[in-house]
Amino acid sequence: MHESSHRNRPRNRLADETSPYLLQHAANPVDWYPWGEEALERARRENKPILLSIGYSACHWCHVMAHESFEDPASAAVMNELFVNIKVDREERPDLDRIYQIAQQMLTQRGGGWPLTMFLSPRDQRPFFGGTYFPKEARHGLPAFTDLLQRVAQFYRERGDDIAQQSAALQQAFDQLHSPPAAGDTALTTAPIRAAREQLAAAFDQQFGGFGGAPKFPHPSNIEFLLRQWRATAGADEPDLHSLFMATLTLKRMADGGIYDQLGGGFARYSVDAYWMIPHFEKMLYDNGQLLRIYAHAALATGEPLFGRVAGATADWMIRDMQSPEGGFWSALDADSEGHEGWFYVWQPDEVATLLDADDYAVFSRRFGLDRPANFEDIAWHLHVFRPEEEIAQELHIEPAEVDRRIARARQILLEARNRRVWPGRDEKVLTSWNGLAIGGLAVAARALRRADLADAASRAVDFIRQQCWRDGRLLAAFKDGRARFAAYLDDYAFLLDGVLELLQTRWRSDDLQFATELAEALLTHFEDRESGGFFFTADDHEQLMHRSRSFSDEALPAGNAIAAQVLTRLGLLLGETRYLDAAAKTLRAAWPALQHYPHAHTALLVALEEHLEPPEIVFVRGETQEAESWRDALANVYAPRRLVFAIPADASALPAAIADKKPLDETAAYVCRGVTCSAPVRSLAALVALTRS
């Protein structure tokens, strides 16, 4: 499946690409092109339809289709004869993936996914037929891939008028995707926040946590939203304890489940069952950046040791297995190794029994279900918490602390043994947007867990992105093999800006504030929809595609518009910059119709709405570095999602006016700002804590 198995084959045009996913297909007998003018021009010249195949390196079914069809000379011959074949890495070109996923759903009335297989007209790249995975032989109600190819090519040759008509209707449907914004006199209220909370409660799984049934995804934005809802009411006569319960039960069940790597830390992308037991085994940087932040917040909010442990182990995994020596974070670990999904992670009980001594095995096997029937494909055991430690301690007549010690020892031994196995493939491209999520997660965890090494890792990632992916005031989206490529997207600017703002609260560097301001300016200049509000996914000088999308809803990633609105509100208050505040407000107005109809699909945007309606509190601590940071750490001991705290050394230079006027005094002092109103200097830590609690 991987390149090494095809060393002797001639290589196609993908051989010059940097994407690990495209390079996996460089030795296919398919005459693949990357997306670009060469392929599009050939399709027009020869009047051949385009077969567009979109996937990513850690995608299991992408590997299956590649192995069955793209590596098969007979299938490749049909593809080469009838189509111009284009292969796209969705992680490098989320703009293309977004357009053609929506088109696939419009054409088939079914959900999308990967691999995405679309057939496009060579004239305008509009799709006329599509689907996801197609098998080599007919099965599961799906036609054989080569039969489908013949039928699609015949349809293109014989039904040109029908295709033109459908194409015009599809374009019209795309043009209608953008609703008009709320009228100028419409008051923005908390109504969608309350409605979303009720909708999440209705979908909540009371037994296993999460929302809906199998397959079950973490939905980090929902958990963050619920934690914030509880915190907002914590001082009320009737605090919203059910929101706290929904968030913490979900986090607890995931931490006990097989979606969490019980040996190495970090989370897989989703669970195939409703119990979080058996995951789809790929591990993505974007999930882990978000979940790290939430587990760190939950550890602060509840004092639950499990949440702190999981946050720490997830951060350790990110730094140990996913951070490049240069500082940027790589993208993903594959689901497959040695041709089998999950093979790297699963165990046989006798294998574990030989590695551990009898006492440790007695505890470990009971805790993680090795004393039960196989739970992975009836042949192997995937670690998942089956029994509480207290129960095991009672049964074996030992102290709970001894159970803990034995499990920790066993984990270490098994992790070292697992590391000697054949590893799943690692996608070593650095994506700017996902690095933004990782930086934000590490910065939050550094404060919550009091771990300076996490702030170090986040700082190295910011420095890497700034050095390698920031050119002439613009970002590039991806870096691999010494090359930064692809004009960046909304998510790159918004997520990185959010990560840098979180890092500034963990460790003040004036250069980072300057970088944040430059990111915000580029975002406003090149992405803002000045007519309707909000931000387009692509820049104003991006390659022209059939649609310039603008989306407000969360998917596996929070909506770029939501994070842009959150971070522009915060940065606008920090710098006293009304243009940022206005752009955030216009984004909320643009999204208001969607917020009213489907509030629970927009929880990240609801956080922005909440901070627009009631601006967060900003605390500036000025003084000698060590003492200023100790004041900040005292405030960071509590979960206060609506507070930003910046410890700015007295000798910090190049500060913008709105911050410079919070002058350092002879001794450490703090300024507490709510909206545009700031307190007189607060000269003792006790007084500061009292003021922030009021």
Side-chain angles (χ1 to χ4, degrees), residues 152-173:
V152 168
Q154 184 182 359
F155 184 80
Y156 177 75
R157 285 193 306 270
E158 296 174 1
R159 306 280 289 277
D161 290 348
D162 292 347
I163 287 173
Q165 223 171 345
Q166 178 186 281
S167 175
L170 187 71
Q171 188 64 56
Q172 199 176 0

Side-chain angles (χ1 to χ4, degrees), residues 224 227-228 288-301 307-308 311-312 315 318 435-459 495 498-507 566 570 632-633 635-641 643-645:
E224 184 80 42
L227 267 184
R228 290 177 65 109
N288 285 284
Q290 294 177 83
L291 288 167
L292 170 58
R293 181 188 293 223
I294 289 164
Y295 275 93
H297 276 157
L300 274 183
F307 298 154
M318 284 166 58
N435 271 258
L437 294 171
I439 290 159
L442 287 164
V444 169
R447 298 196 297 272
L449 306 179
R450 296 294 172 87
R451 282 185 52 180
D453 61 317
L454 305 190
D456 294 340
S459 300
F495 297 172
D498 179 61
V500 171
L501 200 56
E502 284 296 346
L503 185 57
L504 278 164
Q505 296 177 70
T506 307
R507 176 176 293 172
Q566 284 181 32
R570 292 176 156 214
R632 178 205 60 210
D633 291 345
L635 294 187
N637 268 337
V638 295
Y639 174 58
R643 176 187 303 146
L644 288 75
V645 185

Side-chain angles (χ1 to χ4, degrees), residues 200 204 208-226 246-255 258-260 266-274 276 278-280 282-284 286-292 294-295 554-558 603:
L200 290 174
F204 179 63
F208 297 104
F211 306 92
K216 202 173 253 185
F217 289 79
H219 295 302
S221 297
N222 290 351
I223 304 170
E224 184 80 42
F225 170 77
L226 289 169
M246 289 189 277
T248 52
L249 182 73
T250 301
L251 293 172
K252 168 111 177 56
R253 292 285 190 258
M254 286 200 302
I259 191 174
Y260 176 65
F267 289 82
R269 197 162 73 90
Y270 67 89
S271 166
V272 300
D273 50 60
W276 307 109
I278 302 298
H280 215 1
E282 65 259 41
K283 287 169 87 172
M284 315 299 291
Y286 65 79
D287 288 313
N288 285 284
Q290 294 177 83
L291 288 167
L292 170 58
I294 289 164
Y295 275 93
D554 303 320
E555 292 166 4
L557 295 170
T603 49

Side-chain angles (χ1 to χ4, degrees), residues 355-373:
L355 288 164
L356 303 182
D357 70 30
D359 285 347
D360 289 357
Y361 182 76
V363 167
F364 194 86
S365 59
R366 284 168 169 80
R367 176 77 167 149
F368 294 106
L370 297 172
D371 56 348
R372 293 166 182 251

